[in-house]
Amino acid sequence: MMLDAKIPAGDLADKWDKYKEHAKLVNPANRKKLDVIVVGTGLAGASCAASLAEQGYSVKSFCFQDSSRRAHSVAAQGGVNAAKNYKNDGDSVYRMFYDTIKGGDFRSREANVYRLAQCSAQLIDQAVAQGVPFAREYGGYLNNRSFGGVQVSRTFYARGQTGQQLLLGAYQALMRQESLGKVKTYTRHEMLELVVVDGKAKGIIARDLLTGQIERHAANAVVLATGGYGKVYYLSTLAMGCNSSAIWRAHKKGAFMSGVSWIQFHPTCLPQLGEHQSKLTLMSESLRNDGRIWVPKKASDEREPKDIPEEERDYYLERKYPAFGNLSPRDISSRAAKERIDAGCGVGAMKNAVCLDFSKAIKEQGKEKIKEKYSNLFTMYEKINGINAYEQPMLISPAAHFTMGGLWVDYQLMTTIPGLFALGEANFADHGANRLGANSLLQACVDGYFVAPYTIPNYLADELKAEKVTTDHPAFEEAEQVVKAQLDRFLQSKGTLSADYFHKTLGKLLYDKCGLSRSKESLTQAITDIKQLRESFKNDLKITGDGTVNSELEKAGRVTDYLELGELMCYDALTREESCGAHFREEYQTPDGEAVRNDQDFCFVSAWEWKGSGAEEELHKEPLVFENVELAVRSYK
Amino acid sequence: MRLKLKIWRQEAATQPGAMVDYMLDDVSEHMSFLEMIDLLNETLVGKGERVVEFDHDCREGICGQCGMMINGRAHGPLPNTTTCQLHMRSFKDGDTIYIEPFRAAAFPIVRDLKIDRSGFDRVIQAGGFISASTGQPPEANSILISHDVTEAAFDAAACIGCGACVATCKNSSAALFTSAKITHLALLPQGKLEAADRVVNMVDQMEAEGFGHCSNTEACEVECPQSISVLHIARMNFEYNKALVMKP
Ligand SMILES: Cc1cc2nc3c(=O)[nH]c(=O)nc-3n(C[C@H](O)[C@H](O)[C@H](O)COP(=O)(O)OP(=O)(O)OC[C@H]3O[C@@H](n4cnc5c(N)ncnc54)[C@H](O)[C@@H]3O)c2cc1C
Ligand code: FES
């Protein structure tokens, strides 16, 4: 199958305008006859649902939390990028585009990334109008800070709670549409199957998590804005309920998956302290603006970090990457940390951490200034670890964080199933092999506020003439039976091990073999191990409780999908015989440990097609064409 | 450490519940409170029993989905801390811990420690927004807002909607939650235009949901994970009276 990204012809800078000028429209009177299902109420889902409802479409919005406001976008701390050039420091749409393409290690589409940068300024306008309290200077103008991987200040922020504030803006817009009767929200609902009729997405099967009822919902288009799947590693910066089920089940219905193994490990997370741990909390990368990263120069140093004198500290990022120093991009920073930890220079009880030190910043700017910028992060650190980071360095470590991979989408954010759209972290589109900090809140918002409200109506325009599919169509019956049969299997499981056990085992395996670095050997081993684990899951799983409110049952469904997705991640990593961005293949590195990309053979986006249970997936390739930038070695030295 | 847990178990809103005793060994001080319950649930699965249902998601104090009464206090012994951010180093070997759901007429129990807080969403639907549709807004810097006003609006906007304020209040009042949103939006120039309608509609909805009245005990502020100030309640009352007086 030839993948067509449907990128409009013409100059890079004109493509999006051209698309909008020619997109099909739906007459206002006809819009309410068209139903759209939006799964997910994070920034991507809530903004898309609200914006479509404002236009007059009938929208159903789903999330698994008890309120739409709790989607994991809420946890983003650092900020959101926009090329406003308010700092007059040389920023522009082109520069933001270039930074993002380069940050992604030249593995993303030019046209998508350019559009992201183009729409960024408008997002700040939208958020401010909604009441998002972004930081301001004393004159009343918006303030900015800089973030990893760039040399301009283009990051807008609301203390350390930018995601929360942006999400509340989108959530409130959604609630407004709900009060107007344009949106119906279904909270505590989990999508468990996509319904496809004559090759087009026509609805979903969802489970009401309060009653256990299996429900059918029909629509003219389905949007998946279900977030990232970093939780596949169990220990991650994601929320406990984050999952791949919606996109994975869509994948099994024909939607291709791309860049599946491109997972970003965030360099500034709290290290694991013990076996019981359920998550690795992120400390915003913005801390790297003022914190300096170091480890002891000598290995196995038993002293407390605060007792190690200045000359015995190795500020390895400043040493190796003088141009970007502590603000080097995430993949580079994480790998550099792993390299030092593996060399025995790690600190902390499990020797699995590096220091993030604020003493210089406090000396230069005063404690009050640091407090104003980061107080909530310092408080959070103390709550979790019981340590006061104004007095001694924070201990941090890389953790699984963001999935650049996801459902393949074309320029319109439509998957390979017509009528099925994927927005936000759930798609693969804009970040290539590595995402720049503060670009993903942006992407989720741009997808939902500014892109989908043009591209979905363009699709819906033809739906008006099509025959309306209702929930008594046999495809719904069939999908419902599949879901019910799986739930019954879980409830009748006779093993002894909990769903969490399998999740943790899979996570550990992926950390070791398909994590910050991978090799042919580790990946081949991982594939064998995962197959075994999947067999064991079939026989040894134990689910207690009934078919109504049952968190164990919910977990089983998520883990079953992770066990398939994990394997595809390994295949994706195995077949990409190069190092790029977050994907570091040990076989492909320079003598001093830098990634070696192979543009000759791998300048493409992988797109995997499900071929049925037990069969190997088929790899399709979308070639990446660079007409506006030159492929360069990505250096931050 | 070894703990004795007394946990509220209840099948459904319509059925009676009761405290049930559990002994739990091998609890580490580094565990979060929810990880301690994970451990308990793991042992329950091992024994073939139904697990303790509780709400949680982000486990980093920001989504507002977790929340339990722990030894009679919303979110447990530490002030201004969510249940997920509470760690077992706040307890000691041999402790007995009472764990119950947040209780309020407007928060019906779903099962065990899970409750229904959808009333909060309906309060927001009544007016907790600025009517700015996608595409309408002017250039962001055309709305100047002083640093201090922004910071004050942020302080109110930081609410995570967990419901600890309601659970703590002897009247089960949602005044802190509602007033935080009213202040956030009323302080900002963008939000002033709709301020009068907003406050009246939100307060009406709050009452319709069955939340109680505020009698100024200020208990809520102590438990609020974001330290939202009770002064917002005063502002809400001010805005409310202003709205009634100014009503055209
Ligand atoms: C701790 C942390 C900090 C971050 N900080 C930053 C930052 O500073 N800047 C930045 O740009 N990015 C940051 N990111 C990344 C960014 O927050 C996310 O990529 C982005 O918010 C994702 O938004 P989303 O709308 O795609 O998904 P989410 O916000 O994750 O929303 C997913 C939605 O899908 C729903 N859902 C999922 N599966 C199902 C299902 N099966 N059925 C029904 N509903 C379902 C959920 O209920 C939820 O509503 C951070 C991420 C994390 C984890
Ligand atoms: S789980 Fe999100 S605030 Fe506690």
Side-chain angles (χ1 to χ4, degrees), chain B residues 65-83:
Chain B
Q65 176 126 339
C66 67
M68 306 170 183
M69 297 304 281
I70 300 167
N71 290 336
R73 273 187 78 173
H75 292 310
L78 301 182
N80 309 120
T81 303
T82 56
T83 303

Side-chain angles (χ1 to χ4, degrees), chain A residues 22 162 179 268 283 314 316 331 356 411 431 511 517 528 557 597 608 623:
Chain A
H22 295 97
T162 314
S179 73
T268 56
M283 290 278 118
D314 175 15
Y316 57 88
D331 52 342
L356 178 63
Y411 187 69
H431 308 292
Y511 258 104
S517 70
T528 313
R597 213 176 60 215
W608 294 91

Side-chain angles (χ1 to χ4, degrees), chain A residues 47 51 54 64-70 72 74-75 77 84 86 122 124-126 128-142 158-161 164-165 168 171-173 175-179 185 187-188 210 234 237-242 273 276-279 281-282 372 380 382-386 449-450 496-498 500-501 504 542-546 548-552 554-555, chain B residues 11 28 30-32 35 38 41-42 44-65 78-82 85-87 89 110-111 114-118 120-122 124-126 128-148 150-155 157-162 177 181 184-185 188 190 194 225-226:
Chain A
S47 60
S51 302
E54 285 161 10
F64 65 75
Q65 290 92 346
D66 76 331
S67 164
S68 323
R69 64 183 289 156
R70 309 204 199 282
H72 200 52
V74 79
Q77 301 166 350
K84 283 277 197 189
Y86 283 163
Q122 210 186 340
I124 303 304
D125 303 342
Q126 183 66 36
V128 165
Q130 289 170 345
V132 172
F134 284 127
R136 300 264 171 175
E137 292 169 348
Y138 283 92
Y141 293 102
L142 286 151
R159 270 188 229 160
Q161 297 173 207
Q164 181 204 25
Q165 293 307 315
L168 289 178
Y171 157 78
Q172 287 163 200
M175 291 298 105
R176 173 172 161 242
Q177 292 308 311
E178 168 119 31
S179 73
T185 51
T187 59
R188 292 208 205 254
L210 289 185
Y234 191 73
T237 62
L238 282 101
M240 300 307 283
C242 289
L273 292 176
H276 54 267
Q277 204 143 328
S278 57
K279 88 164 277 168
T281 303
L282 177 90
E372 185 187 318
M380 178 149 104
E382 185 159 7
K383 275 183 188 166
I384 296 174
N385 286 8
Y449 284 119
F450 305 126
T496 52
L497 299 168
S498 68
D500 274 350
Y501 164 83
K504 287 180 186 175
K542 176 78 198 160
I543 298 297
T544 59
D546 56 23
T548 64
V549 180
N550 190 343
S551 47
E552 291 299 305
E554 294 164 27
K555 285 182 197 169
Chain B
E11 284 298 312
S28 134
H30 293 307
M31 283 182 182
S32 70
E35 285 164 354
D38 288 343
N41 280 345
E42 192 80 34
L44 292 179
V45 171
K47 289 194 249 173
E49 292 175 30
R50 181 169 79 66
V51 300
V52 176
E53 292 293 341
F54 63 100
D55 270 320
H56 64 108
D57 199 31
C58 74
R59 296 206 175 182
E60 52 180 293
I62 193 70
C63 75
Q65 176 126 339
L78 301 182
N80 309 120
T81 303
T82 56
Q85 294 288 72
L86 175 65
H87 282 68
R89 67 180 79 89
V110 168
R111 179 171 262 190
K114 261 186 204 273
I115 54 165
D116 175 0
R117 278 168 295 202
S118 52
F120 272 7
D121 284 337
R122 290 186 291 274
I124 299 295
Q125 282 160 27
F129 46 75
I130 293 173
S131 303
S133 296
T134 306
Q136 290 175 332
E139 150 62 40
N141 259 346
S142 66
I143 309 172
L144 292 188
I145 311 172
S146 81
H147 175 269
D148 295 348
T150 297
E151 295 298 306
F154 181 98
D155 285 340
C159 166
I160 61 173
C162 64
F177 169 81
K181 188 47 63 190
H184 162 209
L185 299 176
L188 297 172
Q190 312 89 300
E194 296 170 284
Q226 293 287 334

Side-chain angles (χ1 to χ4, degrees), chain A residues 39-45 62-65 71-73 75-79 147 189-191 225-227 237 243 246 282 401-402 423-425 435 438-442 444, chain B residues 60:
Chain A
V39 187
T41 59
L43 278 167
F62 292 80
C63 70
F64 65 75
Q65 290 92 346
H72 200 52
S73 291
Q77 301 166 350
F147 238 58
H189 273 66
E190 185 160 28
M191 167 185 163
T226 51
T237 62
N243 65 87
L282 177 90
H401 176 55
F402 180 86
L423 274 55
E425 199 174 333
R435 168 179 73 96
N439 259 0
S440 92
L441 289 177
L442 174 67
Chain B
E60 52 180 293

Side-chain angles (χ1 to χ4, degrees), chain A residues 145-418:
Chain A
R145 61 183 169 208
S146 52
F147 238 58
V150 300
Q151 288 171 312
V152 294
S153 279
R154 66 161 74 101
T155 306
F156 293 77
Y157 62 101
R159 270 188 229 160
Q161 297 173 207
T162 314
Q164 181 204 25
Q165 293 307 315
L166 281 171
L167 184 64
L168 289 178
Y171 157 78
Q172 287 163 200
L174 185 68
M175 291 298 105
R176 173 172 161 242
Q177 292 308 311
E178 168 119 31
S179 73
L180 296 170
K182 305 270 194 56
V183 172
K184 169 103 184 72
T185 51
Y186 295 82
T187 59
R188 292 208 205 254
H189 273 66
E190 185 160 28
M191 167 185 163
L192 291 180
E193 197 57 87
L194 177 75
V195 179
V196 179
V197 177
D198 298 333
K200 291 180 172 178
K202 288 291 177 184
I204 63 168
I205 304 292
R207 180 166 179 270
D208 181 336
L209 303 179
L210 289 185
T211 60
Q213 209 68 40
I214 305 297
E215 298 174 358
R216 304 175 182 187
H217 296 273
N220 297 92
V222 175
V223 179
L224 301 185
T226 51
Y229 53 82
K231 186 75 191 163
V232 66
Y233 288 87
Y234 191 73
L235 285 177
S236 77
T237 62
L238 282 101
M240 300 307 283
C242 289
N243 65 87
S244 65
S245 293
I247 62 170
W248 190 253
R249 291 174 191 211
H251 174 57
K252 290 168 83 169
K253 281 282 172 82
F256 291 6
M257 288 278 291
S258 285
V260 197
S261 67
W262 289 344
I263 307 236
Q264 179 170 78
F265 287 74
H266 198 291
T268 56
C269 303
L270 299 184
Q272 187 180 4
L273 292 176
E275 286 307 314
H276 54 267
Q277 204 143 328
S278 57
K279 88 164 277 168
L280 300 175
T281 303
L282 177 90
M283 290 278 118
S284 169
E285 164 164 272
S286 63
L287 291 169
R288 292 202 272 149
N289 272 302
D290 288 299
R292 297 176 72 202
I293 294 178
W294 61 271
V295 290
K297 275 190 180 152
K298 73 167 194 265
S300 315
D301 198 323
E302 290 303 325
R303 290 173 291 181
E304 285 287 315
K306 64 177 177 0
D307 299 331
I308 297 176
E310 187 63 27
E311 58 285 1
E312 291 178 46
R313 300 175 175 190
D314 175 15
Y315 294 90
Y316 57 88
L317 284 177
E318 297 173 20
R319 170 169 60 80
K320 287 170 83 168
Y321 307 102
F324 285 72
N326 294 300
L327 286 175
S328 294
R330 293 184 178 167
D331 52 342
I332 300 214
S333 307
S334 289
R335 221 155 36 235
K338 179 176 158 55
E339 192 271 324
R340 285 292 83 202
I341 292 169
D342 289 348
C345 296
V347 294
M350 290 173 78
K351 296 281 174 217
N352 58 356
V354 301
C355 298
L356 178 63
D357 197 322
F358 292 88
S359 54
K360 183 156 177 261
I362 289 174
K363 205 178 289 162
E364 286 171 4
Q365 304 171 37
K367 190 170 159 185
E368 278 316 302
K369 194 77 209 164
I370 297 299
K371 233 185 190 159
E372 185 187 318
K373 289 195 222 176
Y374 312 112
S375 67
N376 69 318
L377 297 170
F378 278 62
T379 310
M380 178 149 104
Y381 186 77
E382 185 159 7
K383 275 183 188 166
I384 296 174
N385 286 8
I387 293 172
N388 178 345
Y390 294 104
E391 272 148 31
Q392 44 181 304
M394 284 186 184
L395 301 191
I396 53 159
S397 192
H401 176 55
F402 180 86
T403 42
M404 279 74 74
L407 288 174
W408 183 90
V409 287
D410 65 12
Y411 187 69
Q412 312 175 81
L413 307 182
M414 187 145 85
T415 67
T416 47
I417 301 177

